């Protein structure tokens, strides 16, 4: 007799995540554990917004809503305890308000949207968590993250992320005694 897969209620998702993380404390560093907890909590909020009761009722659309959410929030929301404590919907509203307030005040509005690397990391963490639940015998609707993950930057673009030192900064390095010689073994800091 084959046992049917069990359902996980969206309201219990954060609890399941805590159990998942406590079982992997030796494998996953603390910072990554916080990231996983945040993405699972955010995804649970989005599912609840759409009145999804169990993970079996999740649809590809809801993953798209999560991806859209990441485009509509202030990137450094986690540094503000006030913003970090908001639900996904309230965070989007607060982010939009900050932009509107800046526009009304004539100041530069904050840029919305997480970086592509952060979005990739969050989607990877969510995928690993959902696969864990599925492997434990819980019913998870089929999903695909392929089109939702931003592409990895090409190596030529990665090279451009680092600021190159200008000639003035480099000139100082090559004036060091190791490059121009030193006066004597006792006076190594003096050119000679």
């Amino acid at each position: 007799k084959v046992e049917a897969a069990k359902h996980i209620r969206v309201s219990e998702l954060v609890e399941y995540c805590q159990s998942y993380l406590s079982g992997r404390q030796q494998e996953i560093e603390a910072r990554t554990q916080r990231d996983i907890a945040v993405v699972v909590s955010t995804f649970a909020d989005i599912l609840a917004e759409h009145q999804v009761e169990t993970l079996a009722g999740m649809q590809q659309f809801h993953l798209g809503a999560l991806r859209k959410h990441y485009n509509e929030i202030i990137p450094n929301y986690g540094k503000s305890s006030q913003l970090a404590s908001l639900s996904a919907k309230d965070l989007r509203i607060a982010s939009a308000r900050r932009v509107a307030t800046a526009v009304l005040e004539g100041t530069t509005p904050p840029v919305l949207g997480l970086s592509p690397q952060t979005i990739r990391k969050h989607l990877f963490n969510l995928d690993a968590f959902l696969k864990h639940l599925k492997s434990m015998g819980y019913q998870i609707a089929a999903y695909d993250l392929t089109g939702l993950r931003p592409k990895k930057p090409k190596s030529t673009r990665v090279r451009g992320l680092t600021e190159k030192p200008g000639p003035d900064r480099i000139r100082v390095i090559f004036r060091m005694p190791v490059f121009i010689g030193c006066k004597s073994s006792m006076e190594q800091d003096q050119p000679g």
Side-chain angles (χ1 to χ4, degrees):
K1 182 172 156 177
V2 177
E3 188 177 320
K6 297 185 174 154
H7 292 275
I8 294 181
R9 299 189 63 72
V10 169
S11 60
E12 301 170 330
L13 206 51
V14 172
E15 184 181 322
Y16 277 89
C17 180
Q18 291 305 319
S19 174
Y20 168 72
L21 294 174
S22 67
R24 288 185 163 64
Q25 286 181 344
Q26 302 300 320
E27 300 170 42
I28 304 172
E29 57 186 62
R31 183 176 172 188
T32 304
Q33 287 187 29
R34 283 192 305 274
D35 288 344
I36 293 168
V38 167
V39 72
V40 170
S41 175
T42 302
F43 190 53
D45 283 350
I46 287 172
L47 291 172
E49 277 181 55
H50 294 275
Q51 290 87 39
V52 177
E53 293 184 19
T54 68
L55 280 182
M58 171 184 84
Q59 296 176 11
Q60 187 66 36
F61 168 81
H62 300 116
L63 291 162
L66 175 66
R67 177 64 170 85
K68 185 174 183 251
H69 167 82
Y70 289 144
N71 292 335
E72 298 174 346
I73 61 172
I74 294 176
N76 59 357
Y77 72 93
K79 294 180 181 177
S80 162
S81 58
Q82 178 190 11
L83 291 177
S85 66
L86 297 175
S87 70
K89 182 178 180 180
D90 291 338
L91 178 59
R92 289 192 306 274
I93 291 168
S95 297
R97 273 193 200 129
R98 287 197 178 190
V99 170
T101 300
V103 169
L104 287 174
E105 293 174 351
T107 61
T108 304
V111 176
L112 297 183
L114 302 182
S115 71
Q117 298 92 310
T118 302
I119 293 170
R120 285 183 60 78
K121 175 183 64 172
H122 283 322
L123 293 177
F124 174 82
N125 288 334
L126 179 63
D127 187 35
F129 174 66
L130 293 175
K131 285 179 179 174
H132 165 76
L133 293 177
K134 187 170 186 160
S135 70
M136 297 293 288
Y138 294 104
Q139 188 171 357
I140 310 292
Y143 65 92
D144 182 18
L145 296 175
T146 306
L148 298 176
R149 282 191 184 121
K151 292 182 180 180
K152 286 185 179 179
K154 293 183 180 179
S155 61
T156 54
R157 285 194 6 213
V158 171
R159 197 176 323 133
L161 294 176
T162 309
E163 183 182 334
K164 305 297 182 248
D168 294 334
R169 287 180 60 197
I170 291 176
R171 197 172 294 117
V172 172
I173 294 171
F174 289 104
R175 287 187 181 153
M176 295 174 67
V178 70
F179 290 105
I180 59 172
C182 56
K183 195 167 185 177
S184 69
S185 63
M186 300 303 288
E187 298 172 295
Q188 290 185 6
D189 61 339
Q190 298 295 319

